[in-house]
Amino acid sequence: MGGYTLTENAPLASRNTLRVNARAKLLAELRDASKLPELLDFPAVRSAPLLVLGEGSNLLLAGDFDGTVLAMETRGVQVEQDGDTARIAVAAGERWDDFVRWSLGQGYAGLENLILIPGTVGAAPIQNIGAYGTEVAEFIESVEAWDTRERRVAQLDRASCAFGYRDSLFKHEPGRYIVTAVRFALPRSRELRLDYAGIREELARMGVARPAPFHVAEAVVHLRTRKLPDPAVIGNAGSFFKNPVVGAAQAEALKRDHPELPAWPQADGRSKLSAAWLIEAAGLKGSRDGDAGISNRHALVLVNHGHASGGELWAFAQHVIATVAAKFGVRLEPEPVVVGAR
Ligand code: EPU
């Protein structure tokens, strides 16, 4: 009814995968995207900060949110066949992993390396989710968003979205756009991406000599399940730090001192370094202060062992940043959205 529900002083513990027990002054659960302008026009909503929430899997609530949390709960998938390509419009509130599995089940290729990533479809373009050698940007034709500045629906094509490594226009102009749907173009087949460390070995272990997209997806499921802590078991938001990109001279100096440091040369001559390696080499993997810590399975993952507050998790993240900076002269940046930090 009405397309949305409003709740005052709402608990958010079950709405963020770090399981931070924060509250929102107002929670708006939106089920009908066409009602968004009406909702945003409420005086209580108009006058306060807005936080758009999908599954809360890329979010650190460092404190309570003194504004409106807009939970995107819209659903729907529409397919148009265009030769061998499917053009698929997906509502922002759909779960990403459900969509990936559905697309593979329909016989479309492209998203196999991106299976099992938590979060919603609407969140995928914002940080340009990527894993195992594929980024979602490659398959996005356009993003439909409500432009809060122009007060109209915007259709942003791929170029306008300015995608980069864990980056997009939506991060450059925070607060301006609210993603309501994403349009994908998926082929029936593509050259599979098997080069990322571990994939070929996993396929060999599975006894697959000529892989199809669903085999690659299965290999990625095995790799992720082995490496990354499951948010259903221990609170986490996936990689908490981005892999830092540094200048060639700094990368060379670091490689001279630490030949084992994984580094990937970028097109612009700079180098992307493994943040997980830096954190582990700084002795922080598996470390904790109270219930806030770094996973003992993967050094990029900040974990909540039980009842850490958002402030405690944020303080621990800053301890990691400071320790790595002191040891290696590299400043790590958080990857998730951090709100309410003091
Ligand atoms: N490594 C360590 N210690 C660890 C884990 C990794 O030293 O505890 C080193 C290893 O040498 C390994 C290298 O780091 O070879 C890379 O590790 P991994 O393959 O796990 O990739 P990553 O660079 O740490 C990125 C993404 C992940 C994504 C994987 C696989 C970022 C910030 N993270 O991690 O994305 O799943 O590649 O493609 O780019 C996420 O964004 O939430 C996420 C999980």
Side-chain angles (χ1 to χ4, degrees), residues 130-132 165-166 196 224 227-228 238-239 241-243 262 264 274 276-277 280 285 297-300 335:
Y132 299 97
Y165 166 61
R166 295 294 191 275
Y196 196 93
R224 288 187 73 99
K227 277 192 169 183
L228 293 165
S239 293
F241 302 98
K242 289 196 259 192
N243 285 327
W264 300 275
S274 164
W277 189 94
E280 185 166 351
K285 189 171 181 177
R297 295 177 67 172
H298 198 299
L300 269 187
E335 200 259 302

